[in-house]
Structure formats: structure tokens, C-alpha cells
Amino acid sequence: MNWNEVILNEGPLPSVQIIRRIIAFCDAAEPWQLGFQDAATPIMQGIIDLHHDIFFFLILILVFVLWMLVRALWHFHEQTNPIPQRIVHGTTIEIIWTIFPSIILMFIAIPSFALLYSMDEVVVDPAVTIKAIGHQWYWTYEYSDYNSSDEQSLTFDSYMIPEDDLELGQLRLLEVDNRVVVPAKTHLRMIITSADVLHSWAVPSLGVKCDAVPGRLNQTSILVQREGVYYGQCSEICGTNHAFMPIVVEAVSLKDFGSWVSNQLILQTN
């Protein structure tokens, strides 16, 4: 069901309620948002969990450093302590403040390395391979698995929809005319490159940020765990229209994906 059908089925609801109902299907940045977007892949969930775990240690370090700072200010204040306490060298404290940070770093390093290796691991036999090519300033997508010949290939360009052409509920500077449609709960391989300058294919909810380098093929694996629409943008300063080449990934069921591929191949041949 597309957004126009949602609007028609909603009936006489106020426009604000319709917009909120539509945006509920989307994973995009919200006004005054401080946290992460909802994770849609295991990688992004791992990134969020690692962030929360490290933040716990950061709070402990912050409290300890503030306590040391307040204590030093108190003992060396001219009015409260005209004669400050003498602090001398101590072997014990030297050992403690060397070992404790090392232990904390080990607790942080173990999950960090595990997450880094999992992010770098590429699926050997993905179900779908998609090639994203960055241009100034739009994206080209090629579904290589369905290219039987030069005449019949599933390739299309994805441009940002201008603000004047937006429909009700569409997001400004984030909507495109052709979305990247992928099957949910399926292993995907993204091959990313560029035709001119450096770009970066980034979708926060999917935990993906891969550079598009001219003359080089970078690849990453994605496993979208739920259906939905996920918004991203080019994350490499690539010129004057850098902010106007968004990315929209729509995850659908495997059946709907098959129907979409069939329709696209028919349109390409015609």
C-alpha cells in the first residue's frame, strides 16, 4: 500500500493526523532528536548497544573526574585552606590509575572488535546484489541479478523530489522519485562506487555508511529485519548539491519484491 492509498483510506481525518500516521511508517530523523533512529538491522542494533555500554563507563569516569576536581579545588582554596594539604608521590596510586584505565579499555575493546569484524564481514552467497553509483548529484541503482542483457536490465536513477512537487506526508529533502526496493529478512549485498567524485551511501537505521570512491568497488552486507521505509543521505561533501541527493530504501515482503521486479523489468523493456 502506498502513501496515497493510506490517505484515501484514512477518510476525513485532519491533515496533521494523516501526516503523523504516514510518518509512523518511516524511519527518518525527527525534530530535536537526540538519540539514534530505531535499528532495522543487527549491525545497527549492535552499534546502539555498544554506545549504551560505553556511555555507562563514560558516566563513571565523569563522576570520578568531577569528584577529583571538586576535591582539589576544596583543598587548595585560599580561604577555606590557607595552608593546603601536601600531596606527595605514591607508588600505590600510580599503579591504580594505570591498571584501572587499562581494564576499562579492555572491557570496551572486546565488544568493539567483535562489532567491527561483524560489520566488515560480507555474506558469501547473498540473495540480492544491488550496485549503487554516486553521481553529482543523484544515485544510480543497478540490480545486477536481473540483468539478462543490455536491452533488459534493471537500472534506474534516483533523484530528490523538489520541494514544490512534494505530496502530503512526504519528507522535505529526503524523498526521491525512485526508491531502492529490497526484500525484508533477506541477505543483501550492496556494491557502492562513484562515477565522478567521492560520495558516501549512508542510511542510519540500517547501520550503513560506505564510501563511494571513483574507480573502486566497496561492498557491504545488509539484513533488514522489518518492512518499512528508511531514509538516508550522502555523507561525503561532494559539491554544491551535496545536501540534495538523499537515499530511500523501502523494505517489502519477498512476494511484493518479486512483483516489483517483474513490473520494473516490463517497464524497462517497454
Side-chain angles (χ1 to χ4, degrees):
M1 179 180 293
N2 58 36
W3 306 134
N4 294 329
E5 293 173 348
V6 173
I7 295 173
L8 293 175
N9 293 335
E10 289 293 348
L13 286 176
S15 59
V16 175
Q17 295 185 26
I18 296 176
I19 294 173
R20 289 177 179 174
R21 192 75 60 84
I22 295 172
I23 296 179
F25 290 95
C26 309
D27 280 42
E30 299 177 359
W32 302 98
Q33 180 176 348
L34 296 178
F36 294 96
Q37 296 180 23
D38 293 337
T41 62
I43 293 297
M44 188 58 195
Q45 187 61 52
I47 293 173
I48 295 176
D49 293 340
L50 179 64
H51 170 270
H52 293 344
D53 294 340
I54 294 178
F55 206 81
F56 169 76
F57 291 105
L58 290 179
I59 295 297
L60 294 181
I61 295 172
L62 176 64
V63 172
F64 177 73
V65 172
L66 285 177
W67 175 77
M68 292 290 292
L69 179 61
V70 172
R71 187 174 183 275
L73 293 174
W74 172 264
H75 288 294
F76 288 90
H77 195 272
E78 181 181 2
Q79 295 179 354
T80 56
N81 282 314
I83 303 176
Q85 294 185 358
R86 297 186 59 189
I87 299 177
V88 297
H89 172 77
T91 305
T92 304
I93 192 64
E94 294 278 356
I95 295 175
I96 290 175
W97 72 37
T98 301
I99 292 179
F100 268 37
S102 302
I103 295 174
I104 294 175
L105 288 176
M106 284 192 296
F107 274 106
I108 295 176
I110 293 174
S112 298
F113 285 136
L115 180 61
L116 285 173
Y117 278 110
S118 64
M119 292 173 65
D120 193 49
E121 187 175 354
V122 179
V123 178
V124 178
D125 188 19
V128 179
T129 298
I130 304 173
K131 184 178 182 181
I133 306 171
H135 301 270
Q136 289 182 315
W137 288 270
Y138 64 96
W139 294 96
T140 297
Y141 296 100
E142 177 183 326
Y143 288 70
S144 307
D145 300 324
Y146 308 103
N147 292 353
S148 57
S149 63
D150 293 337
E151 291 78 15
Q152 186 178 24
S153 61
L154 184 45
T155 305
F156 56 86
D157 297 330
S158 181
Y159 289 87
M160 185 192 76
I161 298 178
E163 185 175 354
D164 297 335
D165 297 334
L166 290 175
E167 298 179 1
L168 181 64
Q170 291 184 331
L171 302 178
R172 175 178 173 270
L173 300 182
L174 290 178
E175 287 292 346
V176 296
D177 54 357
N178 292 311
R179 294 176 173 177
V180 184
V181 180
V182 300
K185 300 179 181 179
T186 305
H187 288 284
L188 312 173
R189 176 172 59 188
M190 289 295 305
I191 298 177
I192 301 167
T193 186
S194 173
D196 36 49
V197 298
L198 290 175
H199 299 279
S200 184
W201 201 82
V203 183
S205 291
L206 304 182
V208 177
K209 185 179 184 296
C210 189
D211 290 338
V213 183
R216 179 189 178 113
L217 293 177
N218 292 328
Q219 63 177 347
T220 184
S221 297
I222 303 174
L223 176 61
V224 185
Q225 294 182 309
R226 55 185 171 85
E227 299 180 20
V229 182
Y230 309 100
Y231 292 87
Q233 289 178 298
C234 175
S235 296
E236 190 73 41
I237 299 178
C238 55
T240 57
N241 289 337
H242 156 68
F244 306 107
M245 50 182 303
I247 303 162
V248 182
V249 178
E250 183 175 358
V252 299
S253 63
L254 192 59
K255 179 181 178 181
D256 292 339
F257 177 74
S259 301
W260 178 83
V261 170
S262 301
N263 294 333
Q264 289 294 317
L265 290 175
I266 295 172
L267 293 175
Q268 295 284 346
T269 53
N270 294 337

